[in-house]
Amino acid sequence: MDLNQVTIGSTDVARSTRFYQKLGLRLVVDSAPRYVRFECPNGAATFSIHHVDTVAAPATTLIYFDCPDLDQRYRQLCTAGVIFDSAPEDQRWLWREARLRDPDGNRRIVARNRAGTRRRFFARGTTEPGLDLPQLVVD
């Protein structure tokens, strides 16, 4: 099994479409005002938005977008009018993250992975590569 897509709800699909296009996602299905789907520049999974009458608050789901040129992209997005909750900052779990909210208030993180290919196995709070790795479950 592999991740196919993540779908979120939005009260204004057109407004959210413009926001996610600013972030760099490529629109591949446009059935606005009810539904849109994006591809990320690198990767097979897609990201979709469907219309909802209300968005549950507070939104607690975090969606990370990987961005190898995070600092440069952060500056470009700020210039384009995107408002961030926090500037890029190194985290203990070996990510560099900038946090923001989409037009419906959903929390998003644009991040640069500093853990290399082992990024999938790091636990929050890890300070050094190879330390505090969670027990891997292999069937």
Side-chain angles (χ1 to χ4, degrees):
M1 187 177 338
D2 202 357
L3 179 65
N4 179 345
Q5 74 176 20
V6 172
T7 301
I8 64 164
S10 174
T11 58
D12 186 335
V13 172
R15 177 186 66 192
S16 290
T17 298
R18 290 187 300 274
F19 174 82
Y20 285 101
Q21 285 178 309
K22 258 187 203 178
L23 291 187
L25 279 65
R26 187 171 71 87
L27 188 64
V28 294
V29 174
D30 187 352
S31 295
R34 305 298 302 166
Y35 177 84
V36 295
R37 182 183 284 194
F38 300 93
E39 284 181 337
C40 295
N42 304 310
T46 59
F47 183 80
S48 306
I49 303 169
H50 71 99
H51 181 266
V52 294
D53 292 329
T54 59
V55 175
T60 58
T61 301
L62 296 174
I63 296 179
Y64 282 73
F65 292 100
D66 191 33
C67 187
D69 60 344
L70 174 62
D71 290 272
Q72 177 184 349
R73 188 73 178 138
Y74 168 79
R75 288 187 297 275
Q76 291 170 342
L77 291 170
C78 287
T79 300
V82 174
I83 298 170
F84 283 80
D85 293 337
S86 66
E89 182 178 340
D90 290 338
Q91 303 296 330
R92 290 186 321 269
W93 46 90
L94 299 178
W95 294 83
R96 182 165 177 78
E97 301 177 354
R99 294 174 178 245
L100 66 158
R101 295 180 189 269
D102 74 7
D104 288 289
N106 298 302
R107 297 180 328 160
R108 301 296 174 246
I109 298 174
V110 182
R112 181 172 55 89
N113 165 24
R114 297 181 309 123
T117 58
R118 299 177 356 189
R119 69 171 174 76
R120 297 181 309 163
F121 306 110
F122 272 71
R124 282 197 173 264
T126 297
T127 56
E128 296 294 329
L131 298 179
D132 302 320
L133 293 177
Q135 178 68 39
L136 299 179
V137 177
V138 179
D139 219 5

